Amino acid sequence: MDRRRVEWHGLRPFHLGRLCGDARGRRRRTGAQRDDTYRLVCGAFDLDAERGRDFGTKIGVAADRCYGDYKELIAMEAGREDGVEVVSIATPNFTHYEITKACLEAGLHVICEKPLFFTVAECDEVAKLAEEKGLIVGVSYGFTGHPLVHQMAAMVRKGMLGEIRIVDMQYSHGFNSGDDVGAGEAVKWRTNPKTAGPTFVLGDIGTHLYYLSEVVLPHLKIEKLLCDRKAFIPTRAPLEDHATVLMHYDNGARGRLWVSSVDAGNMGSQRYRFVGSKASIEWSDAHPDQLIYEVQGEPNRILHHGMPYLEEESLAADRMGALHTEGLGDSWANIYLWIAQAIDAKRRGDEAFLRSHHYPGIKAGTGGVRWLENCVRSADAGAAWIDFK
Ligand SMILES: NC(=O)c1ccc[n+]([C@@H]2O[C@H](COP(=O)([O-])OP(=O)(O)OC[C@H]3O[C@@H](n4cnc5c(N)ncnc54)[C@H](O)[C@@H]3O)[C@@H](O)[C@H]2O)c1
């Protein structure tokens, strides 16, 4: 990695509080602490306070700062000189809006999981509140911290692909192929509209695809969209465990993506292919260190992360160097670092830095929710083409 990016900022570690943190929360927690930009000082780690305290103390949080819920955390930390400054929210979707608002009201920055909230109206309201309070809301679109994602963005921007024609994306796994009899809590809340929101897999994994395409193709806007969604396991209806979305972009490009949690046998795969008039690029999480670059009429090339022939913004996000594998943990650490830099700039009132700084903020979270609203509108109209609003 370009170490200057980490060292110049001179950030002192922000005091971080976590809402929830089991094994699944590990990559965010370790990502957050990788650069010493955050120090985990407190949390509400479980719905069961006792179990949460047990977990919190095991990972080094003082017992008296392991709280029963977010309300207690906010109230108790407010009185401390070394109190929490940033809260990372990794609870089920239906809690995001309420907890984010409460944190902002208490003067705390937020890093929230996706899908950010249920509606664009909620996103707009919270964006206004964050603006008024001078606080940052970051969103954990973890995959977009990978250096080769930024290589793709740079290549598109430099015109190396020509005019973009085709956007093809997939994120699927087979972990929900069977029925939900005896399913755990994480499946139960994901398949219930009251706790998951208006979508299951579209929000759970589709928003990652959508946001990554926004990072790579910021100049393309969706004009029309058609979403066809289905619950192969009928108890999940009206939510979907599989969906296909077709998109028309304002430059005439065509997009297709599919998301599924019933792709039986698939242990989890993301694949992105961006096709232009001159060349194509393809990246997948199965081989995250490699970017396939295909120029029409020339031998195909495989670009490797960390190599000096890559663009500056890709090298700036590289942590391991070319000889070693750059993985999801590194990508996650970048997202937390970039949000810490945004928080630091906000505190210093450095709006110029914020304007040029790239990180998934509330606009990115709102974009995902807007895309979901359009997908649901199209699916509910019988998989009809609709204007993207
Ligand atoms: N960015 C990513 O790649 C990624 C990956 C997985 C999950 N997520 C998101 O993280 C969030 C949590 O997902 P998960 O898979 O960790 O869920 P989970 O069910 O495994 O864990 C949720 C945790 O929240 C707690 N909890 C449940 N109800 C609560 C409530 N009402 N108030 C406070 N805490 C409550 C539970 O005790 C549990 O510890 C979701 O929004 C999900 O979309 C994001």
Side-chain angles (χ1 to χ4, degrees):
M1 172 168 206
D2 181 345
R3 308 282 165 198
R4 283 165 305 162
R5 276 290 290 276
V6 179
E7 281 161 16
W8 68 253
H9 54 63
L11 297 179
R12 65 165 178 75
F14 291 118
H15 294 167
L16 181 73
R18 286 270 310 158
L19 296 171
C20 289
D22 50 9
R24 229 189 257 265
R26 240 183 110 77
R27 66 171 172 267
R28 298 117 170 182
R29 207 171 58 245
T30 52
Q33 293 178 99
R34 183 84 72 85
D35 299 305
D36 207 22
T37 40
Y38 303 89
R39 199 154 286 158
L40 183 63
V41 296
C42 65
F45 297 108
D46 202 298
L47 275 179
D48 179 329
E50 197 62 32
R51 215 168 45 192
R53 184 161 295 116
D54 190 44
F55 172 81
T57 50
K58 275 195 187 119
I59 59 168
V61 176
D64 65 344
R65 296 180 83 177
C66 295
Y67 302 106
D69 59 26
Y70 79 87
K71 289 181 184 156
E72 192 191 354
L73 181 146
I74 291 173
M76 299 299 286
E77 289 290 314
R80 299 181 67 112
E81 239 175 60
D82 61 348
V84 70
E85 300 166 289
V86 185
V87 176
S88 137
I89 303 172
T91 48
N93 302 351
F94 75 99
T95 63
H96 294 177
Y97 168 69
E98 171 188 317
I99 301 177
T100 301
K101 261 182 39 168
C103 289
L104 294 174
E105 294 286 6
L108 303 172
H109 301 278
V110 166
I111 303 170
C112 187
E113 274 301 342
K114 43 44 51 183
L116 185 56
F117 307 135
F118 281 12
T119 67
V120 170
E122 289 171 347
C123 295
D124 290 345
E125 181 198 336
V126 170
K128 192 163 164 271
L129 178 62
E131 187 59 34
E132 280 164 15
K133 296 272 180 188
L135 295 166
I136 292 290
V137 176
V139 181
S140 313
Y141 286 126
F143 303 103
T144 53
H146 199 284
L148 290 183
V149 171
H150 296 273
Q151 175 67 19
M152 289 195 283
M155 290 170 79
V156 168
R157 199 178 56 246
K158 289 177 88 177
M160 291 170 73
L161 274 62
E163 183 68 19
I164 299 298
R165 291 176 170 167
I166 304 166
V167 177
D168 190 19
M169 306 183 279
Q170 170 206 337
Y171 192 169
S172 63
H173 63 79
F175 284 98
N176 302 114
S177 297
D179 66 30
D180 293 338
V181 177
E185 285 305 314
V187 173
K188 279 193 197 143
W189 73 253
R190 277 180 165 80
T191 51
N192 178 348
K194 286 202 177 84
T195 44
T199 64
F200 170 20
V201 287
L202 282 160
D204 206 37
I205 50 183
T207 43
H208 283 300
L209 298 175
Y210 175 75
Y211 179 62
L212 193 143
S213 71
E214 290 252 285
V215 171
V216 175
L217 309 166
H219 59 298
L220 289 201
K221 299 289 165 245
I222 300 172
E223 274 187 343
K224 284 180 181 297
L225 166 157
L226 179 155
C227 174
D228 181 25
R229 64 173 178 164
K230 180 175 170 72
F232 278 99
I233 305 299
T235 53
R236 294 175 188 152
L239 303 189
E240 76 294 339
D241 49 28
H242 178 88
T244 307
V245 185
L246 301 179
M247 291 167 287
H248 287 181
Y249 294 90
D250 58 355
N251 73 334
R254 296 298 192 250
R256 170 186 80 161
L257 74 79
W258 67 281
V259 283
S260 188
S261 69
V262 293
D263 184 7
N266 187 334
M267 300 308 288
S269 64
Q270 278 181 68
R271 198 182 58 79
Y272 301 84
R273 184 172 176 83
F274 301 104
V275 179
S277 50
K278 294 196 288 206
S280 304
I281 44 180
E282 189 164 323
W283 183 73
S284 77
D285 65 349
H287 302 285
D289 284 341
Q290 300 182 345
L291 176 60
I292 300 171
Y293 176 39
E294 300 167 341
V295 182
Q296 181 58 35
E298 295 182 15
N300 293 346
R301 272 163 255 185
I302 293 179
L303 310 185
H304 196 87
H305 89 89
M307 291 299 287
Y309 52 69
L310 297 178
E311 301 296 326
E312 170 61 25
E313 64 201 79
S314 176
L315 293 172
D318 205 278
R319 286 172 176 266
M320 302 303 287
L323 199 56
H324 307 287
T325 306
E326 187 90 18
L328 178 57
D330 308 301
S331 176
W332 226 270
N334 278 338
I335 295 298
Y336 272 87
L337 171 63
W338 297 339
I339 294 173
Q341 290 170 333
I343 293 171
D344 179 54
K346 195 78 182 169
R347 291 181 148 206
R348 290 185 284 104
D350 190 347
E351 290 298 323
F353 176 88
L354 280 170
R355 271 193 298 279
S356 63
H357 182 52
H358 194 276
Y359 72 101
I362 189 137
K363 221 170 134 201
T366 307
V369 175
R370 174 170 288 114
W371 180 74
L372 292 176
E373 278 192 354
N374 279 274
C375 286
V376 171
R377 207 155 46 84
S378 163
D380 288 355
W385 279 104
I386 54 149
D387 290 336
F388 191 83
K389 287 187 192 149

